[in-house]
Amino acid sequence: MRHNRLAGHPAQQLDRSKKVNIDFEGQSIEAYPGETVASALYASGVRIFTRSFKYHRPRGLLCVSGKCPNCLMTVDGVPNVRTCTEPVREGMQVRHQNAWPSLKRDLYSVIDRLDRFLPVGFYYKSLIHPRFMWHLAEPLIRHVAGLGKVDPGRVPDGHYEHLHLHTDVAVVGGGPAGISAALEAARQGARVTLIDDQPSLGGHLRTDTRRHGDVTGYAGLQGFEIAQRLAETLAATANIEVLSNATAFGFYEGNLLGVMQGRRLIKLRSKSVIVTTGCYEIPLVFTNNDLPGVMLGSGVQRLVQLYGVKPGERALVVTNNDQGYYVASDLLEAGVKILALADSRDSIPQHLEEAQRLRSAGVPLLAPYTIKEAQGHAQVKGAVISRLEANRLSVEEQRFTCDLICVCAGSQLATSLLQQAGYKLKYDSTLDEMVPGELAPRVYAAGDVTGIHDLRAALLQGKIAGLEATSSLLDAPNDKTSGDKERYLQELEEIERGYRESQQRGASLIVPHPRKKRFVCFCEDVTEKDICDAIKEGFEDIEPLKRYSTLSMGPCQGKMCLKASIAIAAEQTGRSLQDTGTTTSRPPIHPVPLGVLAGPAHIAIKQTPLHYKHLESEAKMMDLGPWKRPLTYGSPESEHRVVREGVGIIDVSTLGKLDVKGKDAGQLLDKVYTHFFSTLKIGRSRYGLICTDRGTIMDDGTVSRLGEEHYFITTTTGNVEPVEQWLKWWAAGTGLCVHINNVTSGFAAINMAGPKARDVLRKLTDIDLSSASFPYMGAVQGTVAGVTTLLLRIGFVGETGWEMHFPAEYGEYMWDTFMDAGKEFGIKPFGVEAQRILRLEKKHVIVGQDTDAVSNPLEAGMAWAVKFEKEDFIGKAGLLGIEQRGLRNKLVGFVMPDATVAKDGDPVVIGDKPVGRVTSSRFSPSLGRGFGLAWIPAHLAEDSGKIEIRVAGKPAHAQVFPQVFYDPEGKRLRE
């Protein structure tokens, strides 16, 4: 390991005072805190990091920045980890993937010799006839396909979380342009959030050792020193929050950014967004360009400057821009022998200090030359370069024995977020880039992403973007701000003009060869020949070409291959690069683990006003949507018996509660509900059912009329917000005088039920509770225990009972008062489980439990609540259509012949074919056997018919029970 390490350097981010050990394929590897898995493995001599997706060719480090697929490994059981960005941790387990039995000797690599049988789109053309061929090949394809393998039994370490943030200005990118933009926006008084995918700020300057004498304020400093100065200034500035190691993977409507930071998903909403995402260095397309040892120049710089790793002993540098000279100079400083620098441009740039330094060191500078072929099998052993004549390879060649080929072929702008924000790209022939064109509202671009790769320009563009982003938040920018912007624009115009004049175009990104493979897309093993063949087959447009060839559809999402593929498509079709265009950018632009997207629900936990009373009673709590509710206080069976024989109370504060007032309130309710409510008498309640436009069940509850223009609505626990919005939607624009208020949190509610409920309540109220004065489905406002209360006589559990609603502040007082008043009658609280048994014995449906998104009231046995005689109501047309076509399924009650109890969700079957499902099933203490509700085909729903239910995988027979299980006449409700 030690022989590949370089001496310490201020740009390096290693902590050499400590060491950690990682396990790679059973071998202990020494590493330093601050470096990545890939840099530690490379320093220890590892050169093959993975095998390619299709041909299983050996692949080594390429970009060292997480933008390519060449370093994907399984780390601590997690597949497809980009090891070039994964920090080392003590004891981490690193394993290869997509190779068998090992990386060095992969038997699947024989596929590389069968490429003639695997042309582009072969999966669309082969194994179709005869049909049985697919069934023979499918198991093998499934075994070979994919990269890493998911372990279904693995339990993820730690937890995921979601975070919602708001800011004035969001800056994506922590390079010089991003820092400059953030500083300027903060200087204008804005709250700024800067997002950077690196562990420290500075962008490409972190690996830049050149001295910049022409940058105002930083003259004479090396690039990494400028990065450090910028980061220090940012840290000392108020109003700036930095999200490091965070990737903005998607730009959504309303300036919403999706950001992944480790195991955290951040949803960042901002008023303005500045995109300074820079660019990606891209590979050159030549023969064997995927061999381990062929690396991007920026990747080599990262190994050297950030991680102190010597990338090779003998190197060839191939370039078409000035970057190659900077890379060669860094390699020379690192003790690597530079065999030659091949520049595809017409001449060597004499103005570069690095060129003079390389020449003084005896490095051959060759122009115009480019690489023709990398030589070797498992890794680079040599290279062939050729002189260019009219941008074509000549017969004049030179051969080198080397272990490293550094390629500097230019860049591809990281415009994905800008495209998602609405920017249109246009081809700039001078810059040879697809640059951002039309601007999107309140979205700004700065730095290398604009196509101008100049540090002075980046800093100025950042300042201008910061000013524009903040001025768009103000009604009118001040004179000083306008003056600063004008001055910056003048300076920038001069710099950009000089930059454009200095551009010298190199040769094409594609180097021809008559036979060998030249890879364009490293993710999917797509070659130049594949793209050309696909175009000949008619896939000329870039979007269908992408889908047919799978180009840019792999882990890198086109970061390494898109520019070259567009160039090939343009050449093959005879169109310009502008007309060829680019593919559509869709989020996520970087792979995001499903765990990050799923994360915790983060639904706010809701507690009723009686929550701590339940805890005092040692209730077993449950989650019901966002609510905490008592499942049971001990035994559901004993709680059931208390309600049936004595008196019980249950906290029903979770019911949705809507207060509806207005002279047209009845008219609106008639429109939205399936029943009549404009004719409901004052002091009465009625069951209410709401359907969607197509007639499916949306919600149910009760509607009570408290006055001529006053109604009180209850909804199911989880549906109050949708019902509220539904009512307001149908009231909007109608001119109806209706006012709808959600009062759920303002009222506590307790249901007291049982044959002795009246005896308890009489001790606490002067209201006449007799059936003659207060009949079933009555609604009375009065005083209970001195508290103003709305009493609804309803019978969800099938016994005489009152549902009481009162101000939430009196919740605990009322609970204690009821318990004290009921002591002599044996009052007990009962929980949700007992309530479910009680309601099930009355065949009362729970929406969402016994229904789903396609259930309708006619098939659910609720036709009595649908009044077709009304002129109109929401869902009427859909229900009429269902009635005319005939019922296909029915929700029916069933009983088991013995104590067998089906589970919710158990299938109803005919033979081995599922035809229905159990929605609710329990053991009934009243019946002494299992019973429940089930959806079954209509023809099976005959009185006393037999159905078969699979219980624990075994058949169990049940009998359809047409009537209510308990007190079918409802006498106990009305006593």
Side-chain angles (χ1 to χ4, degrees):
M1 171 182 175
R2 309 310 304 171
H3 65 282
N4 282 329
R5 289 292 187 181
L6 301 172
H9 187 278
Q12 292 175 12
Q13 56 186 39
L14 304 179
D15 181 359
R16 293 179 182 261
S17 65
K18 303 176 184 177
K19 291 180 182 178
V20 297
N21 288 279
I22 65 176
D23 183 294
F24 174 63
E25 306 288 354
Q27 177 186 359
S28 181
I29 303 293
E30 276 190 359
Y32 293 115
E35 72 172 323
T36 66
V37 173
S39 65
L41 294 180
Y42 198 95
S44 69
V46 175
R47 292 298 177 265
I48 302 176
F49 280 71
T50 187
R51 290 279 175 163
S52 68
F53 174 73
K54 182 177 176 182
Y55 295 123
H56 284 255
R57 290 168 65 93
R59 293 280 167 82
L61 292 187
L62 179 65
C63 71
V64 199
S65 61
K67 303 299 188 295
C68 76
N70 281 21
C71 65
L72 296 179
M73 291 184 174
T74 297
V75 178
D76 290 336
V78 179
N80 299 331
V81 173
R82 284 170 161 78
T83 55
C84 70
T85 60
E86 182 72 11
V88 294
R89 301 181 300 276
E90 178 65 39
M92 66 194 316
Q93 304 288 313
V94 182
R95 299 292 181 265
H96 78 271
Q97 55 188 38
N98 201 42
W100 185 83
S102 69
L103 281 173
K104 291 184 177 180
R105 294 175 178 83
D106 180 12
L107 292 184
Y108 292 128
S109 62
V110 69
I111 300 173
D112 191 29
R113 300 176 181 273
L114 305 176
D115 58 321
R116 70 184 66 182
F117 303 109
L118 302 173
V120 63
F122 75 94
Y123 31 78
Y124 297 123
K125 308 169 185 175
S126 59
L127 305 175
I128 299 174
H129 300 293
R131 295 292 295 273
F132 73 86
M133 287 295 294
W134 168 250
H135 297 292
L136 293 177
E138 183 181 14
L140 177 61
I141 292 175
R142 289 189 178 279
H143 180 71
V144 176
L147 294 171
K149 302 296 183 183
V150 175
D151 179 5
R154 178 180 173 273
V155 178
D157 300 327
H159 66 281
Y160 296 94
E161 61 183 22
H162 286 184
L163 182 66
H164 295 263
L165 295 178
H166 294 263
T167 190
D168 293 329
V169 178
V171 180
V172 185
I179 297 175
S180 178
L183 290 172
E184 189 62 41
R187 190 169 70 88
Q188 300 300 320
R191 292 180 298 115
V192 181
T193 301
L194 187 147
I195 306 154
D196 188 40
D197 62 358
Q198 299 300 312
S200 56
L201 298 176
H204 69 275
L205 290 180
R206 296 167 62 221
T207 60
D208 185 0
T209 57
R210 290 180 294 146
R211 296 194 179 276
H212 297 265
D214 54 355
V215 180
T216 303
Y218 304 100
L221 294 180
Q222 293 177 281
F224 70 88
E225 294 174 325
I226 297 175
Q228 292 168 357
R229 288 276 188 92
L230 287 170
E232 290 168 0
T233 304
L234 192 78
T237 304
N239 298 337
I240 300 179
E241 179 182 9
V242 178
L243 301 177
S244 296
N245 288 314
T247 301
F249 61 80
F251 198 123
Y252 302 88
E253 185 178 4
N255 280 359
L256 173 65
L257 290 169
V259 180
M260 176 181 64
Q261 187 182 41
R263 291 175 175 266
R264 173 185 292 173
L265 172 63
I266 300 172
K267 298 179 181 179
L268 177 63
R269 184 84 66 175
S270 63
K271 297 175 183 177
S272 296
V273 178
I274 303 174
V275 177
T276 63
T277 44
C279 56
Y280 316 118
E281 191 169 32
I282 56 176
L284 195 63
V285 181
F286 60 92
T287 299
N288 288 337
N289 61 334
D290 65 327
L291 270 180
V294 177
M295 295 182 64
L296 300 182
S298 57
V300 169
Q301 287 180 311
R302 282 176 169 270
L303 280 180
V304 171
Q305 309 298 359
L306 298 183
Y307 308 124
V309 177
K310 187 177 181 180
E313 297 297 330
R314 298 166 60 85
L316 169 71
V317 178
V318 181
T319 188
N320 62 10
N321 58 78
D322 292 351
Q323 175 68 11
Y325 295 85
Y326 307 142
V327 172
S329 182
D330 286 345
L331 287 174
L332 201 63
E333 184 70 24
V336 178
K337 180 175 180 57
I338 310 298
L339 302 177
L341 184 149
D343 191 337
S344 63
R345 295 177 293 183
D346 291 336
S347 60
I348 302 298
Q350 302 298 332
H351 66 282
L352 284 182
E353 293 181 8
E354 286 75 13
Q356 302 304 325
R357 181 186 176 198
L358 291 169
R359 185 176 281 115
S360 299
V363 176
L365 304 181
L366 308 175
Y369 270 82
T370 193
I371 187 168
K372 179 180 180 181
E373 180 179 354
Q375 296 178 323
H377 177 63
Q379 65 184 76
V380 167
K381 296 296 184 182
V384 180
I385 65 172
S386 177
R387 183 178 179 83
L388 291 168
E389 294 180 358
N391 282 330
R392 291 287 181 183
L393 297 182
S394 69
V395 295
E396 185 178 338
E397 297 180 350
Q398 293 191 39
R399 296 175 180 268
F400 300 93
T401 300
C402 58
D403 60 354
L404 178 66
I405 299 174
C406 298
V407 177
C408 300
S411 61
Q412 177 176 304
L413 306 185
T415 57
S416 295
L417 289 179
L418 291 173
Q419 290 177 264
Q420 292 171 18
Y423 270 73
K424 303 297 181 184
L425 302 184
K426 62 180 182 181
Y427 178 68
D428 189 311
S429 58
T430 302
L431 302 177
D432 190 27
E433 304 273 20
M434 298 291 285
V435 300
E438 299 175 14
L439 302 180
R442 294 195 171 182
V443 180
Y444 309 92
D448 285 354
V449 75
T450 65
I452 304 296
H453 308 297
D454 183 280
L455 179 56
R456 295 171 301 160
L459 293 171
L460 281 172
Q461 287 176 333
K463 289 182 178 181
I464 294 168
L467 287 172
E468 290 178 334
T470 50
S471 64
S472 67
L473 307 179
L474 305 174
D475 294 332
N478 58 52
D479 293 340
K480 185 178 185 308
T481 299
S482 299
D484 288 343
K485 180 180 175 181
E486 186 64 30
R487 178 166 52 85
Y488 295 152
L489 285 171
Q490 290 177 357
E491 292 181 36
L492 179 62
E493 183 180 358
E494 182 178 346
I495 293 172
E496 287 188 356
R497 185 186 306 113
Y499 178 80
R500 287 177 174 275
E501 291 173 354
S502 68
Q503 294 305 293
Q504 183 182 0
R505 291 283 295 276
S508 169
L509 289 172
I510 297 89
V511 181
H513 194 288
R515 293 180 301 278
K516 302 291 183 69
K517 291 187 181 73
R518 300 179 303 284
F519 288 94
V520 179
C521 178
F522 286 67
C523 296
E524 301 288 317
D525 275 354
V526 180
T527 65
E528 180 203 11
K529 181 178 183 298
D530 290 332
I531 297 176
C532 295
D533 289 346
I535 292 172
K536 291 175 182 177
E537 292 179 27
F539 295 92
E540 297 181 352
D541 292 331
I542 195 69
E543 288 286 7
L545 175 63
K546 164 186 172 179
R547 285 155 178 79
Y548 184 63
S549 65
T550 70
L551 178 79
S552 82
M553 294 175 67
C556 90
Q557 293 287 285
K559 295 180 179 68
M560 295 289 103
C561 62
L562 189 57
K563 187 171 183 178
S565 62
I566 292 172
I568 295 170
E571 182 180 359
Q572 292 295 310
T573 59
R575 292 181 296 188
S576 67
L577 291 171
Q578 180 66 45
D579 291 338
T580 302
T582 186
T583 57
T584 302
S585 174
R586 298 181 178 89
I589 60 177
H590 186 84
V592 180
L594 293 178
V596 171
L597 294 176
H602 269 314
I603 300 174
I605 295 174
K606 296 183 179 181
Q607 299 174 352
T608 74
L610 301 164
H611 179 76
Y612 292 99
K613 285 297 174 184
H614 306 317
L615 298 184
E616 286 178 12
S617 300
E618 297 183 349
K620 180 180 179 182
M621 304 301 289
M622 66 173 292
D623 294 320
L624 193 62
W627 290 97
K628 292 288 186 180
R629 295 196 68 185
L631 178 65
T632 177
Y633 298 86
S635 165
E637 292 77 15
S638 64
E639 294 169 20
H640 172 279
R641 184 169 58 253
V642 164
V643 177
R644 289 283 182 248
E645 298 176 3
V647 56
I649 58 173
I650 183 172
D651 179 6
V652 291
S653 303
T654 60
L655 289 173
K657 309 170 193 73
L658 298 174
D659 189 75
V660 182
K661 293 180 179 178
K663 65 182 181 65
D664 299 317
Q667 182 180 341
L668 175 64
L669 298 182
D670 281 350
K671 176 73 172 178
V672 173
Y673 284 85
T674 61
H675 212 303
F676 286 103
F677 289 98
S678 59
T679 59
L680 183 64
K681 294 180 180 180
I682 297 174
R684 299 291 293 172
S685 300
R686 181 170 289 163
Y687 176 75
L689 183 65
I690 301 177
C691 289
T692 64
D693 295 1
R694 58 180 181 172
T696 56
I697 297 171
M698 177 179 174
D699 194 59
D700 71 344
T702 62
V703 179
S704 304
R705 192 165 193 174
L706 308 182
E708 189 64 34
E709 300 178 359
H710 188 189
Y711 292 84
F712 182 80
I713 297 173
T714 64
T715 73
T716 55
T717 291
N719 273 346
V720 64
E721 286 85 4
V723 171
E724 177 190 6
Q725 293 168 7
W726 193 248
L727 288 167
K728 289 180 176 179
W729 168 265
W730 288 105
T734 62
L736 295 178
C737 177
V738 184
H739 305 279
I740 303 161
N741 291 307
N742 187 339
V743 295
T744 301
S745 60
F747 288 89
I750 295 175
N751 187 6
M752 182 183 295
K756 297 179 182 179
R758 184 181 282 111
D759 297 327
V760 177
L761 271 184
R762 278 177 175 159
K763 297 174 62 175
L764 302 172
T765 183
D766 294 331
I767 299 172
D768 186 351
L769 301 175
S770 67
S771 293
S773 298
F774 200 153
Y776 178 63
M777 298 304 287
V780 174
Q781 297 182 85
T783 301
V784 177
V787 177
T788 301
T789 304
L790 170 63
L791 293 88
L792 308 178
R793 187 175 172 188
I794 57 177
F796 189 62
V797 297
E799 300 291 342
T800 300
W802 284 266
E803 184 177 288
M804 291 167 280
H805 300 260
F806 44 84
E809 293 82 356
Y810 293 96
E812 292 190 351
Y813 163 75
M814 294 291 273
W815 183 268
D816 290 339
T817 301
F818 290 162
M819 292 297 290
D820 289 341
K823 279 182 181 179
E824 63 179 290
F825 304 104
I827 193 170
K828 299 289 183 183
F830 63 100
V832 172
E833 182 59 24
Q835 183 194 47
R836 287 172 172 172
I837 299 171
L838 292 162
R839 69 90 190 175
L840 194 54
E841 291 180 338
K842 290 296 294 181
K843 270 192 179 178
H844 288 153
V845 171
I846 296 180
V847 172
Q849 169 78 22
D850 302 306
T851 66
D852 57 22
V854 296
S855 302
N856 65 78
L858 303 184
E859 295 181 333
M862 300 178 181
W864 58 271
V866 179
K867 302 303 178 182
F868 284 118
E869 58 266 32
K870 284 203 297 185
E871 181 180 350
D872 192 22
F873 61 85
I874 307 304
K876 182 177 181 180
L879 290 170
L880 285 173
I882 293 170
E883 186 179 54
Q884 291 170 5
R885 77 160 194 225
L887 304 186
R888 297 173 179 172
N889 301 286
K890 282 189 177 181
L891 182 65
V892 301
F894 67 86
V895 293
M896 309 298 288
D898 50 33
T900 300
V901 178
K903 290 185 177 180
D904 298 353
D906 278 349
V908 178
V909 299
I910 297 178
D912 290 328
K913 181 181 179 182
V915 295
R917 72 185 189 283
V918 174
T919 62
S920 297
S921 178
R922 296 292 188 275
F923 177 82
S924 169
S926 301
L927 300 175
R929 49 184 171 164
F931 78 121
L933 296 175
W935 281 100
I936 61 175
H939 70 274
L940 294 180
E942 300 176 358
D943 293 354
S944 303
K946 303 290 185 180
I947 59 174
E948 182 179 316
I949 302 173
R950 287 295 174 94
V951 181
K954 298 180 180 179
H957 295 284
Q959 179 181 334
V960 174
F961 201 85
Q963 61 186 22
V964 174
F965 300 107
Y966 175 81
D967 186 26
E969 294 82 16
K971 291 180 180 179
R972 297 177 68 90
L973 291 173
R974 295 173 172 82
E975 285 181 349

